[in-house]
């Protein structure tokens, strides 16, 4: 029987072939879901799906787009904000 | 709408949300922009025009545009001059030598003592100076006596 802590559905089972030739089941954590736009809820581009330890090792530029509101709003929502700014400037 | 001197807001890219001025119209799709953004070609679809215009000549230089922008209290984008730093050259034995130099040298205890203590120290020194003189005077006499005694003993033994 598998030990009780490994019976959780939040783990995934992976078949691994060992150097000795045996096929063994290993338990891995699942990836988190993609980040979503704070305004419209669309899936954001340019934000990797990684666990905290994975994100920690990435460079800052690899975690979000180089744009104002990058990683927070989708491109179309941020464009609406900039258009409003243009209207208020005139 | 998109003519030379029109102030627009850039919608896309890393300069998004910043004011720019159209410096030159290249064709019906592309324009040359400058101001609070990097000086470059831009698609008209990525610009939102405002009601503001400024007076600049076609193909105005960055400095002219910057001065006009400052008059209207708008920020200007300045590209940083690219400075290539010298590659640090490692020389054997320099790291240790530098570390020893950096170590603070131990201060002499005399500097830290107060005046009173300094006086006491001086008195002690004077007392010490007197003592060995007295000893020195006594010692050679004693030594002579001892040597005499020894010789006499030896002489007596021989006999």
């Amino acid at each position: 029987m598998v030990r009780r802590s490994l019976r959780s559905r939040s783990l995934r089972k992976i078949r691994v072939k060992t150097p000795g030739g045996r096929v063994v089941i290993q338990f891995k954590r699942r990836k988190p879901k993609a980040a979503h736009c704070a305004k419209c809820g669309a899936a954001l581009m340019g934000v990797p799906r990684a666990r905290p330890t994975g994100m920690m090792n990435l460079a800052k530029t690899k975690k979000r787009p180089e744009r104002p509101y990058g990683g927070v709003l989708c491109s179309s929502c941020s464009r609406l904000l900039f258009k409003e700014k243009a209207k208020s400037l005139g | 709408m998109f003519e030379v001197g029109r102030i627009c807001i850039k919608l896309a890219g890393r300069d998004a949300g910043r004011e720019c001025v159209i410096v030159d119209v290249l064709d019906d799709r592309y324009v040359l922009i400058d101001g609070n953004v990097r000086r470059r070609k831009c698609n008209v679809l990525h610009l939102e025009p405002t009601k503001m215009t400024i007076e600049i000549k076609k193909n105005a230089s960055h400095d002219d545009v910057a001065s006009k922008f400052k008059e209207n209290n708008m920020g200007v984008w300045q590209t940083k001059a690219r400075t290539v730093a010298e590659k640090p050259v490692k020389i054997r034995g320099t790291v240790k030598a530098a570390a020893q130099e950096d170590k603070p040298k131990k201060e002499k205890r005399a500097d830290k003592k107060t005046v009173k203590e300094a006086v006491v120290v001086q008195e002690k020194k004077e007392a010490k100076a007197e003592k060995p003189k007295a000893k020195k005077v006594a010692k050679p006499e004693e030594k002579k006596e001892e040597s005499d005694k020894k010789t006499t003993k030896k002489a007596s033994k021989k006999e």
Side-chain angles (χ1 to χ4, degrees):
Chain A
M1 289 293 283
V2 180
R3 75 152 56 126
R4 288 192 228 172
S5 67
L6 297 175
R7 289 183 205 173
S8 167
R9 298 282 183 89
S10 68
L11 300 169
R12 56 194 179 107
K13 292 187 209 171
I14 291 172
R15 289 165 167 266
V16 174
K17 191 158 189 182
T18 59
R22 292 183 300 132
V23 175
V24 135
I25 302 272
Q26 286 188 357
F27 293 88
K28 304 267 180 186
R29 285 274 164 194
R30 293 186 196 274
K31 258 200 226 178
K33 67 177 183 212
H36 290 79
C37 175
K39 215 170 161 186
C40 67
L44 287 174
M45 302 292 284
V47 184
R49 291 176 61 197
R51 300 211 100 234
T53 41
M55 289 291 248
M56 214 164 59
N57 295 328
L58 288 174
K60 189 174 168 183
T61 54
K62 298 256 163 83
K63 293 187 254 190
R64 84 256 185 295
E66 279 282 347
R67 189 208 312 135
Y69 301 105
V72 177
L73 298 181
C74 64
S75 55
S76 40
C77 286
S78 57
R79 264 188 214 199
L80 286 171
L81 283 177
F82 302 141
K83 282 183 181 174
E84 278 177 32
K85 185 182 175 185
K87 282 177 190 169
S88 69
L89 246 192
Chain B
M1 203 53 173
F2 294 104
E3 70 270 1
V4 174
R6 172 72 63 184
I7 301 236
C8 311
I9 299 279
K10 208 160 180 299
L11 295 176
R14 54 187 159 168
D15 299 330
R18 290 198 239 143
E19 308 88 13
C20 60
V21 68
I22 295 174
V23 166
D24 190 15
V25 177
L26 302 170
D27 56 37
D28 63 337
R29 213 188 296 175
Y30 288 102
V31 293
L32 186 71
I33 53 167
D34 200 347
N36 202 10
V37 299
R38 288 170 161 83
R39 190 182 174 97
R40 62 201 307 277
K41 189 177 76 171
C42 181
N43 195 320
V44 148
L45 294 169
H46 298 152
L47 295 173
E48 180 69 18
T50 62
K51 294 170 192 171
M52 272 177 76
T53 51
I54 54 171
E55 283 180 21
I56 51 160
K57 288 182 190 174
K58 192 177 166 183
N59 283 324
S61 70
H62 179 71
D63 297 328
D64 294 342
V65 172
S67 59
K68 290 276 180 178
F69 263 61
K70 277 173 189 172
E71 282 171 27
N72 293 315
N73 293 321
M74 285 194 283
V76 177
W77 180 261
Q78 295 287 352
T79 47
K80 285 186 212 171
R82 197 179 166 200
T83 51
V84 182
E86 260 186 49
K87 211 174 174 183
V89 177
K90 287 185 189 175
I91 304 168
R92 268 188 142 183
T94 48
V95 177
K96 263 190 179 178
Q100 278 174 3
E101 280 174 16
D102 289 341
K103 268 186 193 171
K105 285 179 185 174
K106 286 184 183 176
E107 285 179 3
K108 287 183 183 176
R109 284 190 181 176
D111 298 330
K112 290 186 181 178
K113 284 194 174 174
T114 57
V115 176
K116 276 188 186 176
E117 288 172 337
V119 167
V120 165
V121 163
Q122 240 196 346
E123 282 174 8
K124 279 186 182 173
K125 276 185 184 173
E126 285 168 14
K128 275 186 185 175
E130 288 172 0
K131 275 186 187 174
K133 280 182 189 173
K135 278 186 183 173
K136 276 180 186 174
V137 168
K139 269 184 184 175
E141 287 180 357
E142 287 172 2
K143 275 187 182 174
K144 276 184 185 174
E145 286 176 5
E146 283 177 8
S147 63
D148 289 345
K149 282 183 185 172
K150 279 182 183 173
T151 49
T152 48
K153 276 186 184 173
K154 279 183 183 174
S156 63
K157 278 186 181 174
K158 277 182 182 175
E159 288 174 11

